[in-house]
Amino acid sequence: GENVEQHPSTLSVQEGDSAVIKCTYSDSASNYFPWYKQELGKRPQLIIDIRSNVGEKKDQRIAVTLNKTAKHFSLHITETQPEDSAVYFCAAVGTGNMLTFGGGTRLMVKP
Amino acid sequence: KAGVTQTPRYLIKTRGQQVTLSCSPISGHRSVSWYQQTPGQGLQFLFEYFSETQRNKGNFPGRFSGRQFSNSRSEMNVSTLELGDSALYLCASSLYGPQKQGLNSGNTIYFGEGSWLTVV
């Protein structure tokens, strides 16, 4: 089945810096890659997603890139703010027809 | 419109008991998936229901079961609870389910707030 690996597991940045989180997937048939942000005690919230027919998608300070050949996708957050502090999960949907999640990245933005 | 609603939010059970969790999807969504979230194992897929049929099942023992009603509301049941079942159980809803993403579909998957289960 699908396997999604996510790095780093923790990331600490200064406010205003950029943050990059990377994920790799194993199923070449995967066609949907969402990113979720989960604050402590809260639900995972979709922040951006990308489908396999595009290589990059941007929404204000957040962008996602997809490299189907290398089977990896990345989340980029620019001009980080303290409220960006949370756990971020990448996920992929492949032939298993389910969301397979990465292990999560705890992002800490220091003021 | 209302989001995905899960009840109860918090519950404590004793080993050996059984528990039923409920999920009401976003209006119009016919797919409901369940996930277990633990610090050690992360987010793991339990099962997915679409139009009252279980379409997909993760790698969990038979103690974990679920069902979906004609109004798309779903329940999951865990029997003979074990300490290791302590977790946040998340429900997710979408129009068509995870597999029907297409190239430009509005098939976003939304999560509920979850049910925190503690087994003592």
Side-chain angles (χ1 to χ4, degrees), chain A residues 31-32 34 36 38 41-46 49 51-53 89 93-94 96-103, chain B residues 4 9 35 37 43 45 48 56-57 88 90 98-99 101-105 107-113 116:
Chain A
N31 64 353
Y32 178 62
Y36 289 88
Q38 188 176 31
K42 299 285 185 69
R43 75 180 81 194
Q45 287 201 298
L46 180 74
D49 58 10
R51 289 176 169 81
S52 58
N53 60 328
F89 291 95
V93 176
N97 295 325
M98 67 186 78
L99 275 173
T100 300
F101 286 88
Chain B
V4 182
R9 290 293 321 282
Y35 294 83
Q37 186 173 25
L43 279 151
F45 173 77
E48 187 228 351
N56 206 355
K57 190 176 191 309
L88 175 64
L90 290 160
Q99 59 267 53
Q101 291 303 328
L103 297 181
N104 292 294
S105 74
N107 193 26
T108 303
I109 301 167
Y110 296 95
F111 282 85
E113 293 285 3
W116 289 92

Side-chain angles (χ1 to χ4, degrees), chain B residues 8-20:
Chain B
R9 290 293 321 282
Y10 306 92
L11 65 167
I12 300 173
K13 291 287 187 177
T14 304
R15 271 184 302 176
Q17 287 187 314
Q18 66 95 25
V19 67
T20 299

Side-chain angles (χ1 to χ4, degrees), chain A residues 1-6 23-27 29-36 73 88-104, chain B residues 33-36 41-46 48 56-59 92 97-99 101 109 111:
Chain A
E2 174 76 277
N3 183 48
V4 178
E5 296 199 356
Q6 183 172 345
C23 290
T24 60
Y25 61 97
S26 60
D27 185 352
S30 292
N31 64 353
Y32 178 62
F33 307 90
W35 285 87
Y36 289 88
F73 56 113
Y88 291 80
F89 291 95
C90 64
V93 176
T95 51
N97 295 325
M98 67 186 78
L99 275 173
T100 300
F101 286 88
Chain B
S33 299
W34 289 88
Y35 294 83
Q36 182 196 63
Q41 298 298 318
L43 279 151
Q44 292 189 294
F45 173 77
L46 282 155
E48 187 228 351
N56 206 355
K57 190 176 191 309
N59 190 26
Q99 59 267 53
Q101 291 303 328
I109 301 167
F111 282 85

Side-chain angles (χ1 to χ4, degrees), chain B residues 24-43:
Chain B
S24 292
I26 292 171
S27 178
H29 285 193
R30 294 164 65 189
S31 168
V32 174
S33 299
W34 289 88
Y35 294 83
Q36 182 196 63
Q37 186 173 25
T38 60
Q41 298 298 318
L43 279 151

Side-chain angles (χ1 to χ4, degrees), chain A residues 16 29 34 38 44-46 48 53 57 69 71 76 83 105 110:
Chain A
Q38 188 176 31
Q45 287 201 298
L46 180 74
I48 196 167
N53 60 328
K57 184 176 178 181
T69 303
K71 290 191 282 188
H76 304 253
E83 51 265 39
T105 296
K110 294 180 285 186

